[in-house]
Amino acid sequence: MSRIQTAFLDLGLMDTLSGKDTPVHRLDPRAKLLTTLIFIITVVSFGKYEISAIIPFFIFPAVMMSLGELPFYYLFRKILIVIPFAFMIGIFNPLIDREILMRIGLFSISGGWISFCSIMVKFILTAGSVLVLIACTGFNSVCMALEKMGAPRIFAVQLLFLYRYIFVLIVEASRMANARALRSFDGKGKGMKVFGYLLGHLLLRTIDRAQRIYLAMLCRGFDGEIRVNRHLEAGMREVIFTVAWSAFFIAMRVYNIPLIAGSFITELIL
Amino acid sequence: MHMADALISPAVGGTMWAASAGLIAYCSKKVRDDVDDIKIPLMGVVGAFIFASQMINFTIPGTGSSGHLGGGMILAILLGPYAAFLTMASVLTVQALFFADGGLLALGCNIFNLGFFPCFIAYPFIYKKIAGEQPTQQRIMAGALAASILGLQMGAFGVVLETLFSGISELHFRTFVLLMQPIHLAIGIIEGLVTAAVVTFVWKARPEILEMAATAKPVRHLSLRNVIAGLLVFAAITGGALSWFASANPDGLEWAMFHVSGKEELESPEKGLHSMLGAIQEKTAFLPDYSFKNPEEKEGHAKTGEGEPAANSGEDGKWPTVSAGTSVSGLVGGALVLVLAAFIGFALKKRS
Amino acid sequence: MSHHIVEVKNLKYTYPDGTCALKDISFRITHGESVAVVGENGAGKSTLLLHLNGYLMSGNGIIRIGDYPLTKETVKEIRRTVGMVFQDPDDQLFMPTVYDDVAFGPLNLSLPPEEVDSRVENALFTVGALHLKSRPPYRLSGGEKRSVSIATVLAMSPDILVMDEPTSNLDPRARRKLIELLKTFKHTKIIATHDLDMVMDLCERTIVIHKGQVMSDGPTAEIFMNQELLAESHLEKPLRMQGCPVCGNK
Amino acid sequence: MSHHIVEVKNLKYTYPDGTCALKDISFRITHGESVAVVGENGAGKSTLLLHLNGYLMSGNGIIRIGDYPLTKETVKEIRRTVGMVFQDPDDQLFMPTVYDDVAFGPLNLSLPPEEVDSRVENALFTVGALHLKSRPPYRLSGGEKRSVSIATVLAMSPDILVMDEPTSNLDPRARRKLIELLKTFKHTKIIATHDLDMVMDLCERTIVIHKGQVMSDGPTAEIFMNQELLAESHLEKPLRMQGCPVCGNK
Ligand SMILES: Nc1ncnc2c1ncn2[C@@H]1O[C@H](COP(=O)(O)OP(=O)(O)OP(=O)(O)O)[C@@H](O)[C@H]1O
Ligand SMILES: Nc1ncnc2c1ncn2[C@@H]1O[C@H](COP(=O)(O)OP(=O)(O)OP(=O)(O)O)[C@@H](O)[C@H]1O
Ligand SMILES: [Mg+2]
Ligand SMILES: [Mg+2]
């Protein structure tokens, strides 16, 4: 299965997930967007040697995932696909920062390993929360939310167009890639030059398409302004959702609950 | 080279968000004022094109590995800088949201690195200058190549600075630069060649498409002076944010210096190192005042910070007890909470 | 009242690159007529249709829609009167959901929200696609997309429907359903197509275009009986008139 | 010699997103046969064709082309044997000139330059497009593009021709020319299409696919007489068999 098909399926599946009807899906997109942003900022604000204090933050994606009926393994696999960059940067930490910060029995653990783990945990949390956001909100709603929250309309509209035509163009592009693959042998014919021609053709077709779309818009009275007959309604539910989660995040940021709980337990045992 | 949320600090992320949001607002206004309505569908569809094209690979000669089109430069050539910047921003937004490729907070950094440099520096001052008013195939080739390489070099440098200022990675400035720039030189050359190939193809097939972009009026308005002024304003904002950040953490600037200049030079005075290591903890704290943090936790961290050089000199008697205690508690508690989180998720699922 | 009259007189058009697409086109279509525009690939059909809503304008020739000649001043008014359905529904469905898409036109007319809403519902009901309201267009099948794209145009309550190859890429049942749907419309219809069997079902009149000129204009049945004319303009009798190869009927 | 046999046994395919496109497909096509694959939109025709040249591979089911089962090892050999023509010629023509495009495949086979040259000339001559040699493909008409896209496949001298909806978007004459052209080929032909009239002219055998399964497989004439079968799979009798609406023949 080629990469392009996989990407298409990914988009399609995320889009399907966002079409579900669960309490989480029904929330106003602005509430979810804002909460996710606060979530990410609090997670990222933790010190680089902190791991245990971050753990309670897993509760948020876990709750969203189960209430939104999202498939855990699928989202987790998606995170694994993009982890390499963070891994590559993070893996230098254990090499450089060899100062021993912690000993458990015979094992001594350097600061580098701790900060590396911290990066990975943060990565999983932040990347995961974004995927959860899209899977339980949908891209179009996120765009609407962005616009309502002050993003320039032209930018939001542009995002909508982009998203809409990804579905069309990926099919076109994959057919072209397919046609090329069937007449290429031993890796011949897949070089940069042919790639340039291929993209050039695709681009010409794309521009022609843009012209036709513009015409279709003109025919329906387009005057440079895109209007949408839709209003988002944020009620008490949304306010409670946002405020409660934010309070939770900040509380978790201030108090290291695992540490408190852990010392309580270890004290009990010892 | 998409930055991830996990690698940046809130201050850096926030600053770059502000910068990118400002640029988006500015470009939106510019595109709005442009009489040419067709730009609206064109931007969206060409953005989708960039996205789709990134999914097709080609074989990089002699290596067997494969590459794809990055986008910023070709967008600038096709759409002009303002529309191209907006389009690049949307492409990156979709990538961030759907493929978790670059996070939500890091989006500002990515838009700036991959959008600003190619559209507002490399395109007007490199590509336009080389390709000129009456482009030839050679000029387009040279211009696209030079502009792509430069754009990516600046973008890569942006990644380096943002990472260092965030202080999450231990990489030294020099190592990091030596790592990033050559890799992105290679990527830039390939990107440049592909961009040139596509642009010359379009130029030969339908020259009017490129003329449309080249003669669109916004390009002329983009003077070096404006760009420099913009950069200065941005630097002032960044500086402001960072100094706010530094003043809340007295050692912050010192710490930044330490990171940028590499460890060795500042290592000699033991005191300096201590305070710096201590500062690292505070630096990355969300709320800059200690009182917000659990005193016990702070205690533990501060101790480890101080204890470290002591360990080197052989007196490792005191700290492990305290630290191990807290660490073990942390681990036990962490595991507990993790189980709890999983349980909550599971229970909710069962019910619904 | 001559509201739904379409009149084209001595229309010429040359593309900026020098291709002369229309040489001299004249015809007059009256209220409620259903007219097919046929001709070989590259004959100029699409170019002609693009003139009818003022997307292309040339100094040469006159176009009248209803009471007005088509000029820079009247073009906005005329675009409300003439609804255009494109060959590829993907070009026409550009908004995030079917509802938004159908509402796009009425909103641009600055109608009040309730009016927009009722128009959207009506248009979708007419084409039998009300249940698709909140679906994104990329999730629709070919036939569904086609119906919705017609609804987007109907919501503008045009007096004249212009369609460019509406049956391409549909499977036989979807094609049949579309033809039945179009039969129920009382609008003036102008359809450019290669599907001559559909022409027989839908249009009483046919205009044959050949190399940018009107080669013939008359009742559909007559034109399809004229073997020479068809041959010259790269056409064939509709398949149903070609006789069944199994039973040998002619 | 069983060189041009195509055998599919219990083929199943589910797209990674869970869409079950092929449920259980089995058939056997022998040398020189010309077979139509028909069925409604989304029935699984294109998915099936993509299996025949190994673009899609699933662990489930067996495909044999000629003497070999299709596996990772034989796929390269098999792609030379099976030539695929896409629905939209624009997907297939991506080089700067027609010549380059037709030469693309043979060059990738590392043939000597003279051999490539003669193959290109031959293929273009066969489809009657030799005069287009040095034209860029994006400047061609729809019918011309189609001929060239067939030439690109012929230049690989395949033994089996696989085509996905070859007649879409052609004007009647271009369609007729294509049918005549395909009639002259002695290759094994597998054609997925909605154009049932072309099926009558070209294919002695038809496979009806419905929701990923073979619903019927037999002589074309028989299948088109089976009204129930057609209705269930969203098909109709070929137009020519539907009787002439003018003279009322049935
Ligand atoms: N944008 C354009 N620039 C230059 N020439 C064009 C353009 N569009 C069409 N033409 C040319 O104008 C002529 C008429 O084209 P048109 O698209 O109107 O034909 P058509 O009758 O619609 O054909 P088809 O049946 O293939 O749709 C053709 O020769 C075509 O090549
Ligand atoms: N890349 C894909 N990912 C997921 N599902 C797909 C993909 N391609 C096709 N499908 C689904 O598989 C089924 C079969 O599709 P296929 O394209 O084979 O149908 P088809 O018979 O060729 O239809 P058409 O007549 O419209 O060309 C459909 O339900 C379709 O939605
Ligand atoms: Mg046309
Ligand atoms: Mg198909």
Side-chain angles (χ1 to χ4, degrees):
Chain A
M1 176 104 337
S2 68
R3 199 177 124 134
I4 183 158
Q5 294 242 315
T6 318
F8 183 54
L9 292 171
D10 255 3
L11 271 177
L13 193 55
M14 291 293 275
D15 200 69
T16 312
L17 290 177
S18 70
K20 287 189 170 185
D21 188 31
T22 72
V24 182
H25 283 81
R26 281 193 291 271
L27 281 174
D28 186 288
R30 281 170 293 182
K32 285 179 275 185
L33 184 60
L34 200 62
T35 310
T36 306
L37 206 54
I38 295 171
F39 173 84
I40 290 174
I41 293 174
T42 25
V43 167
V44 172
S45 73
F46 275 99
K48 67 174 174 183
Y49 294 123
E50 292 182 73
I51 300 174
S52 67
I54 309 179
I55 301 294
F57 283 78
F58 276 103
I59 291 174
F60 175 63
V63 167
M64 297 290 279
M65 249 190 264
S66 50
L67 284 183
E69 296 169 17
L70 306 177
F72 169 77
Y73 289 108
Y74 171 71
L75 295 181
F76 191 69
R77 256 204 339 263
K78 275 180 76 87
I79 296 177
L80 287 188
I81 292 173
V82 283
I83 225 165
F85 180 73
F87 185 88
M88 263 162 45
I89 302 293
I91 199 64
F92 283 98
N93 285 10
L95 297 178
I96 297 168
D97 178 4
R98 292 160 184 271
E99 296 141 7
I100 306 297
L101 281 194
M102 194 170 138
R103 269 185 199 167
I104 301 175
L106 290 174
F107 294 100
S108 35
I109 299 169
S110 71
W113 280 112
I114 296 178
S115 61
F116 170 72
C117 290
S118 170
I119 289 178
M120 289 297 122
V121 168
K122 285 182 191 166
F123 185 86
I124 291 171
L125 278 173
T126 49
S129 67
V130 169
L131 292 178
V132 166
L133 169 73
I134 280 297
C136 72
T137 310
F139 189 74
N140 294 329
S141 304
V142 170
C143 290
M144 295 287 178
L146 276 178
E147 205 244 6
K148 291 275 179 220
M149 288 161 81
R153 168 154 279 202
I154 206 166
F155 179 63
V157 163
Q158 224 264 120
L159 271 171
L160 290 175
F161 267 103
L162 171 71
Y163 186 63
R164 164 73 181 89
Y165 283 97
I166 281 177
F167 287 87
V168 175
L169 291 189
I170 282 195
V171 171
E172 253 173 40
S174 73
R175 282 198 307 250
M176 291 181 88
N178 188 352
R180 178 186 63 168
L182 294 180
R183 288 195 285 151
S184 302
F185 300 91
D186 294 328
K188 285 208 193 71
K190 287 198 173 168
M192 199 168 336
K193 203 164 162 195
V194 174
F195 180 75
Y197 295 144
L198 198 85
L199 287 196
H201 272 280
L202 186 61
L203 186 58
L204 288 185
R205 289 165 74 180
T206 305
I207 290 171
D208 284 341
R209 184 182 287 283
Q211 244 142 20
R212 292 194 303 266
I213 295 166
Y214 177 57
L215 171 60
M217 293 168 77
L218 278 186
C219 286
R220 287 193 276 150
F222 175 64
D223 53 6
E225 181 74 36
I226 303 255
R227 301 172 181 85
V228 187
N229 193 18
R230 217 186 318 176
H231 14 264
L232 299 175
E233 274 171 42
M236 216 47 212
R237 257 184 345 162
E238 279 73 20
V239 174
I240 293 173
F241 177 85
T242 314
V243 171
W245 276 116
S246 306
F248 174 73
F249 300 151
I250 291 173
M252 290 303 117
R253 179 65 188 85
V254 176
Y255 299 104
N256 187 342
I257 300 294
L259 192 63
I260 296 171
S263 9
F264 184 64
I265 289 176
T266 38
E267 259 165 46
L268 273 188
I269 295 171
L270 296 178
Chain B
M1 68 168 207
H2 291 185
M3 286 289 282
D5 281 347
L7 295 175
I8 58 171
S9 69
V12 170
T15 312
M16 300 309 290
W17 245 73
S20 294
L23 277 170
I24 287 174
Y26 177 69
C27 290
S28 298
K29 193 178 161 308
K30 278 285 184 189
V31 173
R32 264 249 77 106
D33 296 345
D34 193 356
V35 274
D36 206 2
D37 289 341
I38 196 188
K39 280 259 170 82
I40 293 171
L42 188 61
M43 282 155 64
V45 179
V46 173
F49 161 78
I50 294 293
F51 200 92
S53 74
Q54 292 185 339
M55 306 294 156
I56 310 180
N57 290 332
F58 63 89
T59 317
I60 297 171
T63 63
S65 61
S66 59
H68 62 75
L69 186 65
M73 205 50 225
I74 201 166
L75 283 174
I77 296 173
L78 284 171
L79 300 170
Y82 301 109
F85 181 81
L86 285 184
T87 309
M88 199 61 209
S90 350
V91 171
L92 291 168
T93 307
V94 171
Q95 276 170 346
L97 293 177
F98 277 87
F99 299 98
D101 197 359
L104 205 54
L105 185 61
L107 191 55
C109 299
N110 288 324
I111 292 177
F112 199 86
N113 297 342
L114 295 169
F116 178 80
F117 294 120
C119 297
F120 290 108
I121 308 277
Y123 172 72
F125 303 117
I126 309 290
Y127 178 81
K128 287 287 281 180
K129 293 278 180 295
I130 296 178
E133 296 291 322
Q134 255 87 45
T136 62
Q137 187 174 348
Q138 285 75 22
R139 278 159 166 249
I140 291 178
M141 197 72 168
L145 196 59
S148 296
I149 291 173
L150 203 92
L152 264 162
Q153 287 296 304
M154 288 187 284
F157 195 65
V159 171
V160 170
L161 288 186
E162 288 150 14
T163 309
L164 287 182
F165 277 119
S166 296
I168 311 285
S169 164
E170 294 286 344
L171 273 172
H172 305 165
F173 176 72
R174 224 178 295 147
T175 330
F176 203 5
V177 164
L178 286 179
L179 201 70
M180 289 291 279
Q181 306 303 128
I183 292 177
H184 285 87
L185 180 64
I187 297 177
I189 290 173
I190 288 161
E191 163 108 29
L193 289 175
V194 171
T195 304
V198 176
V199 171
T200 41
F201 181 88
V202 172
W203 176 69
K204 277 188 193 154
R206 301 260 292 273
E208 77 274 7
I209 289 173
L210 293 187
E211 278 159 26
M212 188 175 78
T215 55
K217 60 174 183 191
V219 180
R220 275 180 305 166
H221 290 195
L222 193 65
S223 71
L224 186 57
R225 214 181 52 207
N226 287 350
V227 170
I228 288 177
L231 273 180
L232 282 178
V233 171
F234 173 65
I237 297 172
T238 319
L242 286 178
S243 55
W244 162 77
F245 181 58
S247 63
N249 305 262
D251 291 330
L253 222 50
E254 196 185 343
W255 162 84
M257 287 293 298
F258 151 70
H259 260 263
V260 170
S261 53
K263 220 177 216 169
E264 309 81 43
E265 286 141 48
L266 286 169
E267 200 154 27
S268 35
E270 286 241 315
K271 271 266 165 69
L273 183 58
H274 289 196
S275 58
M276 256 171 265
L277 282 171
I280 291 172
Q281 263 87 49
E282 303 155 34
K283 176 104 349 21
T284 40
F286 176 47
L287 298 165
D289 201 317
Y290 269 143
S291 57
F292 279 91
K293 284 173 115 197
N294 181 348
E296 190 194 342
E297 179 207 20
K298 178 214 132 188
E299 202 54 20
H301 276 286
K303 282 243 167 77
T304 54
E306 274 162 17
E308 186 274 324
N312 283 349
S313 51
E315 14 164 319
D316 55 343
K318 255 185 358 203
W319 66 270
T321 44
V322 181
S323 183
T326 31
S327 312
V328 170
S329 304
L331 283 181
V332 170
L336 196 78
V337 175
L338 199 57
V339 170
L340 184 73
F343 179 75
I344 293 177
F346 190 67
L348 285 172
K349 191 164 222 150
K350 265 271 176 79
R351 243 198 35 205
S352 52
Chain C
M1 204 189 72
S2 61
H3 240 50
H4 311 155
I5 280 185
V6 177
E7 188 170 9
V8 174
K9 241 191 220 159
N10 303 111
L11 185 66
K12 294 180 191 60
Y13 187 76
T14 305
Y15 279 101
D17 68 347
T19 314
C20 180
L22 300 179
K23 284 196 191 115
D24 185 7
I25 304 259
S26 303
F27 57 80
R28 182 186 159 91
I29 294 172
T30 53
H31 175 75
E33 264 192 304
S34 175
V35 178
V37 177
V38 301
E40 72 206 274
N41 288 117
K45 303 182 294 296
S46 301
T47 310
L48 171 61
L49 298 197
L50 290 179
H51 276 86
L52 297 184
N53 55 24
Y55 181 71
L56 295 179
M57 289 205 205
S58 53
N60 287 309
I62 295 167
I63 296 175
R64 286 185 155 270
I65 309 285
D67 300 318
Y68 313 102
L70 205 164
T71 61
K72 283 243 184 304
E73 290 73 46
T74 59
V75 66
K76 242 182 105 182
E77 190 56 39
I78 281 177
R79 284 198 184 139
R80 275 186 218 200
T81 321
V82 180
M84 177 129 181
V85 180
F86 287 74
Q87 176 173 3
D88 185 350
D90 274 323
D91 293 337
Q92 199 151 6
L93 306 176
F94 43 79
M95 297 291 284
T97 69
V98 167
Y99 181 94
D100 291 333
D101 223 310
V102 181
F104 180 86
L107 283 173
N108 287 336
L109 295 178
S110 312
L111 300 174
E114 314 79 54
E115 165 79 8
V116 170
D117 208 58
S118 79
R119 279 205 187 194
V120 173
E121 303 262 329
N122 268 336
L124 283 173
F125 179 78
T126 313
V127 302
L130 201 49
H131 59 290
L132 304 174
K133 214 166 96 169
S134 52
R135 297 263 294 276
Y138 43 82
R139 297 255 158 196
L140 303 179
S141 79
E144 289 169 340
K145 274 188 198 170
R146 179 75 60 186
S147 304
V148 173
S149 74
I150 292 176
T152 64
V153 168
L154 290 184
M156 307 278 292
S157 53
D159 299 316
I160 297 159
L161 266 183
V162 174
M163 282 176 267
D164 202 349
E165 317 210 10
T167 53
S168 65
N169 296 317
L170 293 182
D171 70 24
R173 180 182 300 180
R175 170 179 171 278
R176 176 68 53 201
K177 273 166 94 179
L178 176 69
I179 292 177
E180 297 306 326
L181 175 67
L182 292 178
K183 264 189 193 161
T184 64
F185 292 160
K186 293 282 157 284
H187 302 77
T188 304
K189 291 190 276 285
I190 304 177
I191 307 176
T193 186
H194 295 304
D195 182 348
L196 303 183
D197 288 273
M198 175 188 62
V199 171
M200 275 214 299
D201 288 337
L202 271 181
C203 308
E204 61 270 20
R205 177 174 160 198
T206 298
I207 298 176
V208 182
I209 309 249
H210 183 58
K211 299 200 172 155
Q213 282 177 306
V214 174
M215 192 166 184
S216 178
D217 179 354
T220 301
E222 268 176 40
I223 287 188
F224 288 160
M225 298 304 278
N226 188 340
Q227 204 78 53
E228 264 171 59
L229 172 71
L230 293 177
E232 203 175 331
S233 47
H234 290 215
L235 300 175
E236 278 184 355
K237 274 189 182 183
L239 292 164
R240 276 178 299 167
M241 285 172 71
Q242 290 182 11
C244 172
V246 179
C247 57
N249 262 343
K250 264 281 163 192
Chain D
M1 205 190 69
S2 60
H3 239 51
H4 312 154
I5 281 184
V6 177
E7 188 170 7
V8 173
K9 241 191 219 160
N10 303 111
L11 185 66
K12 293 179 192 60
Y13 188 76
T14 305
Y15 280 101
D17 69 344
T19 314
C20 181
L22 299 180
K23 286 201 190 109
D24 185 7
I25 304 259
S26 302
F27 57 79
R28 183 188 159 90
I29 293 172
T30 52
H31 176 73
E33 262 191 304
S34 175
V35 178
V37 177
V38 302
E40 73 206 274
N41 288 117
K45 303 182 292 297
S46 302
T47 310
L48 173 61
L49 297 197
L50 288 178
H51 275 87
L52 298 184
N53 51 29
Y55 184 74
L56 295 178
M57 290 206 206
S58 54
N60 287 309
I62 296 167
I63 295 175
R64 287 186 154 268
I65 308 284
D67 300 317
Y68 313 102
L70 204 163
T71 61
K72 283 240 183 308
E73 288 75 46
T74 57
V75 66
K76 229 180 94 186
E77 191 53 41
I78 280 174
R79 280 192 186 157
R80 277 186 217 199
T81 321
V82 180
M84 175 132 181
V85 180
F86 286 70
Q87 175 175 0
D88 187 348
D90 275 322
D91 293 333
Q92 202 156 359
L93 305 177
F94 44 77
M95 299 291 283
T97 69
V98 166
Y99 182 94
D100 291 335
D101 226 315
V102 181
F104 179 81
L107 281 174
N108 289 335
L109 290 176
S110 313
L111 300 174
E114 315 80 54
E115 167 80 7
V116 170
D117 206 60
S118 79
R119 279 201 186 196
V120 173
E121 303 263 330
N122 265 337
L124 283 173
F125 179 77
T126 313
V127 301
L130 202 49
H131 60 289
L132 303 174
K133 215 165 94 170
S134 51
R135 297 267 294 277
Y138 44 84
R139 293 262 165 82
L140 301 180
S141 80
E144 289 169 340
K145 276 186 196 169
R146 175 73 61 189
S147 304
V148 173
S149 76
I150 293 176
T152 63
V153 168
L154 290 184
M156 312 270 293
S157 53
D159 298 317
I160 298 159
L161 263 184
V162 173
M163 282 177 269
D164 202 348
E165 318 208 8
T167 53
S168 64
N169 296 316
L170 292 184
D171 70 26
R173 173 173 315 169
R175 172 177 170 280
R176 177 68 53 201
K177 271 166 90 181
L178 177 67
I179 293 177
E180 297 304 326
L181 175 67
L182 292 179
K183 265 191 192 159
T184 64
F185 290 161
K186 293 284 154 282
H187 303 78
T188 304
K189 290 189 277 286
I190 303 177
I191 306 177
T193 187
H194 295 303
D195 182 349
L196 304 182
D197 288 274
M198 174 187 63
V199 172
M200 276 214 298
D201 288 338
L202 269 182
C203 308
E204 63 270 18
R205 176 174 161 199
T206 297
I207 298 175
V208 181
I209 308 251
H210 183 57
K211 300 199 172 157
Q213 282 177 307
V214 174
M215 193 168 181
S216 179
D217 178 354
T220 301
E222 268 175 40
I223 287 185
F224 288 158
M225 298 304 278
N226 188 341
Q227 204 78 50
E228 267 173 59
L229 171 72
L230 293 178
E232 204 176 331
S233 46
H234 289 214
L235 300 174
E236 279 183 354
K237 273 189 182 183
L239 292 164
R240 274 178 298 169
M241 284 173 73
Q242 290 181 12
C244 172
V246 179
C247 56
N249 262 343
K250 264 279 165 196

